[in-house]
Amino acid sequence: MDTRKVYIETYGCQMNIADTELLVGLLKPHGYEPTQKAEQADVILLNTCAIREHAEERVLKRLSELVRHKARKSGVLLGVTGCMAQHHREQLLDKAPYLDLILGPDAYRTLPNLLAQEETDAPLVAVRLDRDETYEDITPVRAEGIRAWVTVMRGCDKFCTFCIVPYVRGRERSVPLKPLLGQVRELAEQGYKEVVYLGQTVNAYRDGEFDFADLLRQTAKIDGIERIRFTSPHPSDISERMIETMAMLPKVSPYLHLPVQSASNRVLERMERGYTVEQYADLVGRLRRAIPGIALSTDIIAGFPGEDADDFHATRDFLERIRYDFAFMFKYSAREGTKAHKWGDTVTEDEKGRRLQAIIALQERISGEVNQAFIGQTVEVLVEGPAKRQADWLSGKNGQFKTVVFPGNGAQPGTLVSVRVATTTAHTLIGVAV
Ligand code: 5AD
Ligand code: SF4
C-alpha cells in the first residue's frame, strides 16, 4: 500500500489535541502517515473549536490560506473536523465551498472509508452525533514524551447557557474502566510517566458502579505512572470521596482546575452553573483543608449577558479572596444555538475588553505573589526536556503543575529532580537542583 500523508492542525482544548492523536491512530492502519508539513500532505485537516467566535474566525482564515495546496497537486483533500464542523456545517460550506470533508467529533470512525471513496465533487459530510461513541478500541498515535493525554469521557450533559459544547460534542459518555486501565498500563510500559485524564466534565466519569474516584484509585496502582492529573472537572461533580482520594494518593497531583465562570449568584443562576458562590467557596475550603498546598486554577467569562458593574466587581473581589494560582479569562462570545444567545449581548465589546483587562492584570499580580511563596522551598520536578529559552537548562513541572526551570544537571526526561526555588515569575519557578 502506498503511504499517503496527513497533516492536521489542532485548535482549541486538550480534548482536541487528544482527538487529533485519535484521528492519526484511525488513519494509520489505512496507510496514512502524519506529516508536519502541509505541502507534503495528501489530506489536510483542521481539527477545530467552536467555543468562541474568535476560534472560528481563525479557522476560516487558515482555510483560505491552505486551499492553495489543492491546486498544487490533484487529489489533495482539505477538511474540517471537530466542534466547528459540527456547529457550522452549512455555513462552512457557504464560506469555504472548496472543502472536501466535514466531520463532527462522533464521526471520526468514518474517516478512512470516506477517504477511500471514489472521487466525487460533492463534499463528504459526516456530522451525526452518537451517544455511544467512545473510540475505546482505537489506539491514538501519541506525541512522544513523558505525558500521555487519555480521554476518559466525552460530551457534556450540563448545558450551561453560554456553552456550545453539549450541542457539538453531544451527551456525556465514559470509556469503560477495563479497557481504559489497560490503555494506561500499556502507556506505562511504553515509558510514559504522567497520565492526564481528559473529559469535558471529567469527574462525571462513570462505568456502572465505578466513578471518578475509583478511576483515580485504580490508576494509582499502575507501576511506572508517577503522576496523575485530569481536566476539566466540574465543581458540582466533586464528591467528598473524590477529595479524600486526591488527598490520599501521592501520585495524584495536588492541582485542580475549577472553573467558576463568575462570582455573582445572579450571573451564575443565569448561566445555569448549578452552584452558588457560597457553595463554590465552601468547596475550595474543603479542598484546601484536605489537600494542603493544592494549586487551583479557574475560568472566568467577562461580560455575560446581564452582567452589570456590581456583578463584575463581585468576580474581581472573588479572585482576591480565593487567590488562584492562575486563571483563563475570556470575553463572553454569543454562540448560536445556546440559550444565552437569545439574550443578545448586553455588554459592549469595549466594556468587555476593559473588564477582561482588569481581571487579567489582577490575576497576574496574584499569580506572581502566589509563586513568590515558593522561594526557598524545594520542589519535586518531573523533568520534560530542555527549557524553551535556554537549551542548557531543563524544564518540567512540579506536583502543582507549575513550570520549573533549572540549569541542566544531566537529568533525563521522565526523572524526578528536587529543585530549590531561587526566584519566580507569575508563570515560572526558577531554581537549582539539590
Ligand atoms: N464565551 C466565552 N467563553 C466561553 N467559554 C465557554 N463558552 C464560552 C462563551 N460562549 C469558556 C468557559 C469554559 C472555557 C472552556 O471556555 O470559561 O470554562
Ligand atoms: Fe460547557 Fe458547562 Fe459542559 Fe463545561 S460544563 S462543557 S461550560 S456546558
Side-chain angles (χ1 to χ4, degrees):
M1 196 169 13
D2 281 355
T3 59
R4 288 166 55 83
K5 292 215 158 75
V6 57
Y7 170 83
I8 311 182
E9 248 171 53
T10 312
Y11 294 78
C13 65
Q14 295 304 337
M15 292 285 290
N16 257 13
I17 297 178
D19 277 358
T20 294
E21 297 182 340
L22 180 81
L23 283 163
V24 177
L26 269 159
L27 286 173
K28 205 152 192 179
H30 296 268
Y32 285 85
E33 284 293 333
T35 168
Q36 304 296 326
K37 295 199 173 100
E39 52 271 25
Q40 294 178 348
D42 303 287
V43 178
I44 299 175
L45 300 174
L46 298 192
N47 194 13
T48 62
C49 170
I51 203 112
R52 284 169 289 272
E53 195 174 349
H54 175 68
E56 297 195 334
E57 283 162 359
R58 275 177 64 210
V59 166
L60 285 170
K61 180 162 175 287
R62 191 63 184 131
L63 282 174
S64 69
E65 290 164 12
L66 287 169
V67 65
R68 67 189 156 87
H69 292 289
K70 289 177 62 66
R72 159 172 63 80
K73 176 175 151 190
S74 84
V76 171
L77 298 179
L78 181 58
V80 173
T81 62
C83 296
M84 184 182 174
Q86 192 73 34
H87 187 209
H88 276 329
R89 34 202 186 257
E90 287 93 17
Q91 285 111 305
L92 252 177
L93 282 176
D94 285 345
K95 288 180 183 157
Y98 45 78
L99 279 176
D100 302 296
L101 274 166
I102 295 186
L103 218 60
D106 285 346
Y108 296 153
R109 220 177 259 281
T110 62
L111 182 58
N113 274 338
L114 289 181
L115 293 178
Q117 273 177 27
E118 294 290 307
E119 268 187 53
T120 63
D121 284 340
L124 302 163
V125 181
V127 288
R128 201 174 60 86
L129 287 176
D130 178 348
R131 58 172 64 225
D132 294 322
E133 180 61 275
T134 62
Y135 302 108
E136 65 179 82
D137 55 321
I138 309 293
T139 308
V141 173
R142 293 190 159 86
E144 278 174 35
I146 58 158
R147 176 180 300 137
W149 309 97
V150 179
T151 303
V152 302
M153 56 84 68
R154 304 179 70 90
C156 178
D157 285 353
K158 295 278 191 290
F159 287 91
C160 303
T161 55
F162 52 81
C163 186
I164 195 67
V165 164
Y167 304 92
V168 293
R169 284 192 169 263
R171 294 295 66 70
E172 207 175 279
R173 69 218 94 128
S174 298
V175 182
L177 189 66
K178 220 174 147 202
L180 193 53
L181 292 171
Q183 229 189 93
V184 178
R185 266 181 224 111
E186 247 170 64
L187 292 170
E189 277 159 27
Q190 289 163 18
Y192 288 96
K193 301 289 175 200
E194 177 180 351
V195 284
V196 187
Y197 283 147
L198 299 177
Q200 232 73 47
T201 50
V202 69
N203 53 332
Y205 178 86
R206 181 159 281 282
D207 175 17
E209 63 193 288
F210 301 114
D211 66 3
F212 189 67
D214 295 309
L215 174 60
L216 293 179
R217 287 172 193 223
Q218 294 298 325
T219 310
K221 291 184 190 157
I222 299 176
D223 282 340
I225 298 300
E226 308 282 353
R227 276 194 189 158
I228 306 164
R229 203 156 51 81
F230 50 89
T231 199
S232 278
H234 190 284
S236 304
D237 291 326
I238 295 188
S239 65
E240 259 332 289
R241 189 155 172 273
M242 177 178 157
I243 300 177
E244 267 168 40
T245 303
M246 288 185 70
M248 157 184 117
L249 298 174
K251 284 187 182 180
V252 178
S253 289
Y255 162 63
L256 205 59
H257 183 61
L258 205 57
V260 68
Q261 313 297 356
S262 163
S264 153
N265 279 333
R266 229 171 50 89
V267 175
L268 283 176
E269 200 172 312
R270 282 163 60 86
M271 288 178 164
E272 296 187 23
R273 285 291 290 176
Y275 52 81
T276 61
V277 180
E278 293 74 24
Q279 285 167 334
Y280 181 99
D282 177 68
L283 174 62
V284 169
R286 283 184 284 134
L287 282 162
R288 285 184 164 158
R289 280 192 296 279
I291 310 160
I294 186 172
L296 295 175
S297 58
T298 200
D299 292 339
I300 307 271
I301 296 177
F304 183 75
E307 182 187 81
D308 65 17
D310 287 346
D311 297 319
F312 171 68
H313 292 148
T315 302
R316 195 192 56 192
D317 295 347
F318 196 69
L319 290 177
E320 292 268 23
R321 173 173 164 203
I322 300 292
R323 295 178 67 78
Y324 293 101
D325 290 76
F326 60 96
F328 300 103
M329 292 164 273
F330 316 98
K331 285 198 260 182
Y332 170 69
S333 170
R335 304 281 64 209
E336 211 180 317
T338 60
K339 209 162 171 183
H341 185 257
K342 302 185 198 87
W343 304 332
D345 248 327
T346 67
V347 183
T348 63
E349 277 308 298
D350 278 356
E351 180 55 22
K352 278 187 211 169
R354 275 192 292 275
R355 290 181 188 177
L356 181 67
Q357 286 318 314
I359 50 178
I360 287 177
L362 170 61
Q363 181 56 45
E364 190 75 5
R365 192 199 85 214
I366 295 170
S367 295
E369 290 169 1
V370 169
N371 281 354
Q372 269 170 26
F374 281 87
I375 292 176
Q377 286 187 32
T378 299
V379 295
E380 197 179 40
V381 183
L382 183 57
V383 176
E384 292 175 23
K388 262 190 219 137
R389 302 220 181 122
Q390 260 168 301
D392 54 343
W393 282 46
L394 290 171
S395 171
K397 297 260 196 273
N398 76 343
Q400 281 123 328
F401 193 49
K402 291 183 188 288
T403 300
V404 185
V405 298
F406 58 98
N409 64 341
Q412 292 301 308
T415 55
L416 288 162
V417 174
S418 294
V419 173
R420 192 178 183 77
V421 179
T423 53
T424 57
T425 71
H427 306 283
T428 313
L429 310 182
I430 303 152
V432 283
V434 291

